[in-house]
Amino acid sequence: MTFKIITLGCKVNTYESEFMLENLLHSGYIYNEEKPDIIIINTCSVTNMADKKSRKMVRRARRENKNAILVVAGCSAQNDSDEYENMGIDILIGNREKSKIVELINNYKKTHKPYSFFTKNRDLDFENMEVEKFTTHTRAFIKVQDGCNNFCSYCIIPYVRGNIRSKKFADVIKEAEVLVANGHKEIVLTGIHTGSYSDENKDLSDVISSIAKIPGLERIRISSIEITELNDKFLDLLKVEPKIANHLHIPLQSGSDTILKRMNRKYDTAYFKNKIEQIRNIRPDISITTDCIVGHPYETEECFQEYVNFCKETAFSKLHVFPYSKRNGTASAVMPQIDEEEKRKRVHVLLELSEVLEHDYEEKFIGKELEVITEEYTDNYTTGFTSNYLKVYLKGELKLNQVYKCVIDKLENNKVYGHILTCLNEKIGL
């Protein structure tokens, strides 16, 4: 039988979808996007828009594939299970039992009875999954952690992902070794709250130190990490471990202390600023990107201006901007809501600022040598990413998943262009 997987949302979902894909292929199923017998939709619930998009995708899949086995999983299904019950879904699960995807499909083929499973229990163990090789990315992800205990006032994720829990340390190292042996040169450590990783007195810094020793691994990237988890141990490692990518994604969420408190974030702007200064003292050219929520309840014009000024002063290299989304069941949902039009205006202000910050950061690298791991070829250009997460366009068709030393030539139409000096993998001049 043939199948396809549709993935919405975060890198954790991407990893879990890759696991399902790999296990189905190993069990004799064939991937086919055009005529699938089985459709798996891995849903997202981080915002109301993500929920709507997930439901729309499910309705469309059922409408256009009346005879296919339809499997729906993930955060949106977990959050709004009642919404999904009458959509003609054959297998409906939340964030548990994704590891059993082959068993669930095989059972359905025998019984033709709809299956549904959800747990409301937050106290969960880590549902172990291991991926041998990513087919969808040159970079390989390892999900090292799941769940969140922070309960930020705006966020639904602790309710749909459960408590903090971590993959066994030995399993993380073993998975990394297999991925590198199968050709991956960059590993991205990911989780719902990645920096909270803990297993047998080992933390995220211990994971990084251990996998950095794997021959053939060029880079270790962290998908996202909270400012409060960038402790002295991590900063000391950042000084001495060159395989840690020169890029950190650190969610800010607001640049106003008033709003940070309303959000139940665990820091203020002074703490955030001080920690960023420490990081830049270690790596002056590091790229620091962030997440920004705009229009949280009680965000006055004065609060927003503080927010804008803080983003300017901090000089992030990119802002990922989201309008506040009311999530029923969270503390922020019962606070006075801000007008939608005002939210849109403020989002636009931060997006414009992000363009300026991104351009200013990229411009600093014109004429400089950087290493690029190639990922994709299209329209006569090969693209790849530097350690500091610049997407570089290189003329012509180049071998993918190779490390090239390049010079950055120019910025044009919001793209970074460069030329090759040498291929470091093949040790030949080009």
Side-chain angles (χ1 to χ4, degrees):
M1 294 184 78
T2 59
F3 73 98
K4 78 171 181 178
I5 301 178
I6 298 168
T7 306
L8 299 120
C10 66
K11 288 182 174 67
V12 172
N13 259 12
T14 300
Y15 175 89
E16 292 168 346
S17 288
E18 190 73 32
F19 172 87
M20 290 190 280
L21 183 147
E22 188 170 279
N23 275 259
L24 284 162
L25 290 175
H26 286 340
S27 299
Y29 290 89
I30 299 163
Y31 195 82
N32 187 323
E33 292 199 355
E34 301 303 318
K35 294 182 178 180
D37 300 310
I38 304 159
I39 300 171
I40 301 167
I41 302 176
N42 202 357
T43 63
C44 175
S45 187
V46 71
T47 63
N48 283 324
M49 188 59 68
D51 271 325
K52 288 177 184 175
K53 188 174 180 182
S54 295
R55 290 194 294 268
K56 182 178 179 182
M57 198 70 74
V58 171
R59 290 190 188 98
R60 180 178 175 183
R62 177 44 81 212
R63 185 173 65 249
E64 295 179 356
N65 303 271
K66 288 183 169 50
N67 296 320
I69 298 171
L70 181 57
V71 183
V72 176
C75 289
S76 185
Q78 180 74 39
N79 188 40
D80 280 319
S81 55
D82 293 347
E83 289 273 345
Y84 286 89
E85 282 183 353
N86 297 313
M87 291 189 187
I89 297 165
D90 300 302
I91 299 171
L92 178 62
I93 58 176
N95 283 315
R96 299 294 285 181
E97 298 202 341
K98 291 180 186 179
S99 63
K100 298 180 179 178
I101 190 67
V102 173
E103 179 187 334
L104 295 179
I105 289 172
N106 286 345
N107 285 343
Y108 180 81
K109 282 160 58 182
K110 291 175 187 173
T111 66
H112 295 285
K113 291 181 180 177
Y115 177 84
S116 176
F117 178 81
F118 295 95
T119 177
K120 299 299 182 184
N121 182 14
R122 289 196 75 255
D123 188 18
L124 304 167
D125 58 352
F126 189 85
E127 186 175 11
N128 197 40
M129 305 178 195
E130 292 179 3
V131 176
E132 295 176 359
K133 184 175 175 61
F134 270 71
T135 56
T136 53
H137 290 80
T138 304
R139 280 166 279 156
F141 301 165
I142 300 179
K143 176 185 161 186
V144 299
Q145 181 278 337
D146 205 342
C148 183
N149 296 349
N150 273 3
F151 290 97
C152 297
S153 66
Y154 53 82
C155 187
I156 198 70
I157 299 305
Y159 301 95
V160 296
R161 279 279 178 179
N163 63 299
I164 283 176
R165 59 230 189 247
S166 300
K167 178 174 279 191
K168 291 291 182 187
F169 182 80
D171 291 342
V172 176
I173 308 309
K174 175 186 156 195
E175 187 170 9
E177 288 171 344
V178 170
L179 288 166
V180 175
N182 284 330
H184 290 291
K185 293 179 172 61
E186 180 174 329
I187 284 176
V188 183
L189 301 175
T190 191
I192 298 302
H193 192 175
T194 313
S196 69
Y197 178 87
S198 177
D199 179 59
E200 296 180 355
N201 297 317
K202 303 285 189 182
D203 62 12
L204 190 66
S205 295
D206 295 314
V207 170
I208 293 168
S209 294
S210 294
I211 67 175
K213 295 180 176 70
I214 301 172
L217 180 62
E218 299 286 338
R219 284 185 204 151
I220 302 163
R221 202 178 292 279
I222 304 167
S223 62
S224 179
I225 190 164
E226 293 289 337
I227 196 79
T228 51
E229 291 156 352
L230 296 167
N231 55 26
D232 290 344
K233 183 177 178 180
F234 178 85
L235 295 179
D236 287 342
L237 185 60
L238 193 64
K239 293 174 187 174
V240 299
E241 184 46 74
K243 289 187 180 182
I244 299 176
N246 208 27
H247 166 240
L248 290 172
H249 185 79
I250 309 170
L252 172 64
Q253 308 303 17
S254 178
S256 161
D257 288 336
T258 301
I259 302 306
L260 286 173
K261 196 168 183 180
R262 294 280 187 186
M263 287 177 162
N264 195 31
R265 299 293 282 173
K266 307 300 189 281
Y267 53 84
D268 58 17
T269 53
Y271 180 93
F272 197 101
K273 185 178 181 181
N274 178 258
K275 193 68 76 170
I276 297 297
E277 286 173 357
Q278 290 181 55
I279 294 166
R280 286 186 171 141
N281 283 335
I282 298 167
R283 294 196 182 185
D285 286 337
I286 195 168
S287 169
I288 298 176
T289 56
T290 196
D291 292 332
C292 297
I293 294 174
V294 175
H296 186 272
Y298 295 105
E299 186 187 77
T300 63
E301 184 59 35
E302 183 182 359
C303 290
F304 181 65
Q305 284 308 313
E306 289 173 1
Y307 195 171
V308 173
N309 292 336
F310 186 80
C311 289
K312 286 179 182 176
E313 291 165 11
T314 309
F316 295 104
S317 48
K318 186 170 186 175
L319 312 177
H320 297 260
V321 185
F322 308 91
Y324 164 76
S325 182
K326 180 181 175 182
R327 313 300 285 130
N328 292 332
T330 64
S332 294
V334 296
M335 297 179 188
Q337 303 296 303
I338 287 179
D339 177 71
E340 291 298 320
E341 182 58 32
E342 185 60 34
K343 268 197 257 183
R344 280 191 286 271
K345 288 177 184 175
R346 293 178 187 178
V347 165
H348 186 67
V349 169
L350 275 191
L351 286 174
E352 283 191 336
L353 175 59
S354 181
E355 286 187 15
V356 173
L357 293 172
E358 193 170 3
H359 182 273
D360 289 349
Y361 179 76
E362 292 170 346
E363 197 171 42
K364 293 192 290 187
F365 296 93
I366 294 176
K368 292 190 177 181
E369 293 182 11
L370 295 172
E371 292 180 6
V372 174
I373 299 179
T374 49
E375 294 197 3
E376 189 177 12
Y377 172 73
T378 184
D379 296 331
N380 203 30
Y381 279 93
T382 302
T383 56
F385 286 88
T386 62
S387 176
N388 59 335
Y389 215 54
L390 300 184
K391 184 177 182 180
V392 180
Y393 286 73
L394 302 165
K395 188 79 171 177
E397 186 171 5
L398 303 171
K399 194 172 179 182
L400 302 184
N401 198 30
Q402 299 295 305
V403 184
Y404 291 92
K405 183 175 279 188
C406 305
V407 174
I408 304 303
D409 295 324
K410 63 179 180 178
L411 306 181
E412 193 174 280
N413 298 323
N414 298 319
K415 292 178 181 176
V416 180
Y417 291 88
H419 70 270
I420 299 164
L421 292 178
T422 185
C423 177
L424 298 180
N425 285 113
E426 297 173 354
K427 306 295 183 188
I428 58 171
L430 293 175

